């Protein structure tokens, strides 16, 4: 009999965590496992990428998809949910009336529990820690596991229940696991690491598609992909570009692929540094891979990373990577071989990029090393690690 597994995640919007989840679901052996995915929000950008044998359930607070019964307390939820630009009323609700948030969350958990009351699973895998309490209180399972993806250690609402209930907490890099053991010392004996998988075939197929924008091959095109937020450091990229231009590299063009809460700050920084002719904001793209493939160089300027999918994807496409040196990238890149790791400093990153612009031989040597990487072998290893827990 197949083991019944349910994954619980926050949403299926376009992002690194969601890409890692889809990759994992697509590598599962559906002859051995009966797999269900429960998403708690109706952002479904990546739904069509999930393996057809995976059953997908959507339990959104505002819209009905899988289940006929709707959630009755969505207005209460909107009064208390976190937002990137909270109003004064919103701040008041968040900080002076926390019982309302607690009560709404319990009402939502009760809603999910009722919808799933006739279901029982051997294993519940919490893929988004923001969904931890809902999964544990609403899903009936023999065993609970939780993935932890964040480079910056953080507590989310009621995640303590997951550290107590879960058999294992799976960090997506060894360094991250070590940091998490310090951050949640009470659960240190449960914390292990299993790296994210990489869907090599899909990435390369999508990279062959065309884009609306076209690179000028007479320029040196640099690409950065990610959510436009402080942790992803796109403001650092702007200052790196400004330094390069100031030092005479006026043929540089820097493409930023993504969107997010810091977009206006990024536009302001571009204007303040007079980088309008050098930095191109293309917004969020469902398929960023052609930009990465056709670039001369990929740069990851993040302040925090868990185990960044974009770096893995750049390597799959044969691109060396210049990255800030933090817990995720330094587990993926071999400094000086498959890329360059530098401190979170725009001047030092610019100094790393300059020789790659000036000397194509250095870049070509790195590309040769990148093309020797065996991602399929790594994927098989990570799947075996996970199966040992199932």
């Amino acid at each position: 009999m197949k083991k019944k597994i349910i994954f619980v995640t926050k949403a299926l919007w376009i992002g690194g965590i969601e890409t890692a989840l889809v990759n994992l679901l697509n590598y599962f052996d559906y002859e051995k496992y009966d797999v269900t995915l429960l998403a708690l929000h109706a952002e479904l950008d990546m739904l069509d990428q999930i393996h057809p044998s995976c059953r997908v359930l959507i339990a959104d607070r505002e819209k009905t998809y899988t289940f006929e019964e709707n959630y009755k307390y969505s207005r209460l939820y909107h009064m208390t949910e976190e937002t990137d630009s909270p109003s004064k009323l919103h701040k008041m609700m968040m900080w002076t009336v926390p019982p309302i948030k607690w009560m709404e969350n319990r009402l939502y958990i009760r809603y999910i529990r009722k919808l799933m009351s006739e279901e029982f699973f051997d294993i519940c895998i919490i893929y988004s820690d923001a969904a931890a309490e809902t999964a544990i209180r609403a899903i009936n399972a023999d065993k609970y596991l939780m993935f932890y993806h964040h480079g910056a250690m953080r507590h989310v609402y009621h995640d303590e229940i997951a550290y107590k209930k879960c058999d294992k907490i799976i960090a997506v890099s060894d360094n991250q696991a070590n940091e998490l053991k310090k951050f949640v010392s009470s659960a240190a004996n449960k914390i292990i690491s299993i790296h994210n998988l990489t869907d090599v075939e899909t990435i390369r197929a999508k990279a062959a598609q065309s884009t609306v924008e076209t690179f000028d091959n007479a320029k040196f095109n640099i690409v950065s992909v990610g959510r436009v937020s402080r942790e992803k450091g796109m403001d650092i990229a702007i200052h790196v570009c400004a330094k390069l231009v100031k030092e005479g590299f006026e043929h540089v063009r820097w493409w930023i692929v993504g969107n997010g809460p810091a977009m206006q700050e990024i536009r302001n920084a571009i204007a303040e540094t007079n980088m309008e002719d050098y930095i191109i904001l293309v917004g969020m793209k469902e398929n960023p891979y052609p930009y990465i493939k056709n670039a001369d160089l990929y740069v990851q300027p993040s302040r925090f990373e868990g185990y960044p999918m974009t770096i893995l994807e750049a390597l799959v496409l044969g691109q060396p990577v210049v990255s800030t040196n933090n817990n995720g990238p330094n587990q993926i890149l071999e400094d000086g071989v498959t890329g360059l790791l530098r401190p979170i400093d725009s001047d030092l990153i610019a100094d790393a990029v300059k020789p790659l612009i000036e000397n194509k031989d250095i870049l070509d040597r790195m590309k040769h090393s990148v093309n020797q990487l065996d991602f399929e072998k790594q994927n098989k290893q990570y799947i075996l690690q996970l199966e040992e827990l199932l």
Side-chain angles (χ1 to χ4, degrees):
M1 182 180 292
K2 294 182 181 180
K3 276 191 176 181
K4 290 190 68 176
I5 300 172
I6 184 169
F7 285 79
V8 184
T9 194
K10 189 173 181 180
L12 288 171
W13 45 49
I14 298 171
I17 293 174
E18 293 70 33
T19 298
L21 171 59
V22 170
N23 291 346
L24 178 55
L25 291 172
N26 290 345
Y27 267 88
F28 252 79
D29 184 348
Y30 287 89
E31 296 296 319
K32 292 168 59 177
Y33 302 104
D34 181 342
V35 183
T36 297
L37 170 65
L38 173 63
L40 306 184
H41 290 270
E43 287 82 1
L44 305 175
D45 304 297
M46 304 188 74
L47 181 60
D48 62 346
Q49 300 178 35
I50 294 174
H51 195 289
S53 296
C54 179
R55 180 178 64 146
V56 179
L57 305 176
I58 312 296
D60 190 79
R61 282 172 161 96
E62 295 183 283
K63 305 171 186 177
T64 54
Y65 280 85
T66 310
F67 306 101
E68 293 183 1
E69 182 179 342
N70 67 324
Y71 179 63
K72 300 176 182 178
Y73 306 100
S74 59
R75 290 184 65 185
L76 188 61
Y77 170 69
H78 283 300
M79 292 171 66
T80 61
E81 69 177 334
E82 295 182 12
T83 179
D84 292 323
S85 302
S87 65
K88 289 182 179 179
L89 176 62
H90 211 129
K91 289 179 180 178
M92 182 182 73
M93 298 305 298
M94 287 296 295
W95 299 109
T96 66
V97 197
I100 295 178
K101 185 174 180 67
W102 179 88
M103 180 178 66
E104 188 281 325
N105 195 56
R106 286 305 175 92
L107 289 169
Y108 180 63
I109 289 170
R110 188 174 71 180
Y111 168 70
I112 300 291
R113 188 163 58 235
K114 181 180 178 182
L115 296 177
M116 303 291 292
S117 61
E118 297 183 6
E119 300 257 13
F120 187 85
F121 299 90
D122 296 296
I123 301 153
C124 175
I125 301 177
I126 304 161
Y127 207 77
S128 167
D129 58 349
E133 185 186 19
T134 301
I136 287 170
R137 293 192 186 279
I139 304 299
N140 296 313
D142 276 336
K143 181 190 288 189
Y144 297 84
L145 308 172
M146 184 174 79
F147 277 81
Y148 193 91
H149 302 270
H150 309 287
M153 298 294 108
R154 68 176 196 177
H155 284 303
V156 294
Y157 182 65
H158 278 188
D159 65 353
E160 280 295 331
I161 189 173
Y163 298 122
K164 293 176 182 177
K165 182 72 172 179
C166 289
D167 292 76
K168 294 293 180 183
I169 312 295
I170 305 167
V172 293
S173 77
D174 299 338
N175 288 340
Q176 184 194 51
N178 292 332
E179 290 296 317
L180 191 58
K181 286 176 183 178
K182 298 174 188 174
F183 188 63
V184 190
S185 58
S186 61
N189 63 323
K190 298 181 178 183
I191 297 169
I192 62 171
S193 66
I194 300 176
H195 296 177
N196 290 329
L197 280 71
T198 313
D199 189 345
V200 175
E201 185 176 333
T202 298
I203 291 168
R204 289 176 178 165
K206 287 188 171 183
Q209 297 175 11
S210 60
T211 61
V212 174
E213 301 86 0
T214 304
F215 287 178
D216 181 348
N217 292 329
K219 310 296 184 184
F220 189 89
N221 294 287
I222 300 173
V223 167
S224 297
V225 177
R227 178 172 164 81
V228 181
S229 57
R230 186 180 184 278
E231 62 270 20
K232 294 300 182 181
M234 295 304 179
D235 57 311
I236 296 172
I238 291 165
H239 292 291
V240 174
C241 188
K243 179 176 173 62
L244 292 172
V245 172
K246 184 179 179 180
E247 296 190 6
F249 296 93
E250 294 186 1
H251 64 304
V252 164
R253 295 294 180 271
W254 201 306
W255 301 72
I256 294 178
V257 184
N259 208 337
M263 185 59 83
Q264 189 55 52
E265 295 173 28
I266 293 300
R267 291 194 180 99
N268 293 342
I270 291 171
E272 290 167 5
T273 55
N274 300 312
M275 287 293 102
E276 293 91 339
D277 293 336
Y278 303 94
I279 295 177
I280 303 98
L281 303 176
V282 300
M284 180 67 73
K285 298 291 182 181
E286 184 177 349
N287 180 11
Y289 304 126
Y291 296 92
I292 299 173
K293 179 185 177 182
N294 295 317
D296 295 294
L297 179 66
Y298 184 83
V299 175
Q300 187 81 23
S302 305
R303 290 182 171 88
F304 305 104
E305 283 290 356
Y307 196 74
M309 293 302 299
T310 47
I311 288 182
L312 290 170
E313 290 159 352
L315 295 175
V316 165
L317 296 174
Q319 288 289 9
V321 177
V322 174
S323 174
T324 45
N325 189 2
N326 52 57
N327 282 341
N330 62 23
Q331 291 238 329
I332 300 173
L333 297 172
E334 186 177 354
D335 189 28
V337 180
T338 56
L340 297 172
L341 293 162
R342 294 296 181 267
I344 305 170
D345 181 285
S346 57
D347 288 344
L348 295 177
I349 296 170
D351 289 342
V353 171
K354 282 188 290 186
L356 303 181
I357 301 175
E358 293 173 317
N359 191 334
K360 189 174 182 296
D361 289 342
I362 299 176
L363 202 55
D364 287 343
R365 283 198 298 272
M366 285 188 178
K367 287 185 178 183
H368 177 75
S369 298
V370 167
N371 287 323
Q372 306 310 305
L373 297 173
D374 189 341
F375 292 96
E376 292 297 348
K377 181 179 178 181
Q378 293 173 8
N379 285 342
K380 290 175 183 177
Q381 175 188 339
Y382 305 151
I383 282 288
L384 287 174
Q385 288 178 271
L386 180 60
E387 286 189 332
E388 289 176 0
L389 303 177
L390 301 181

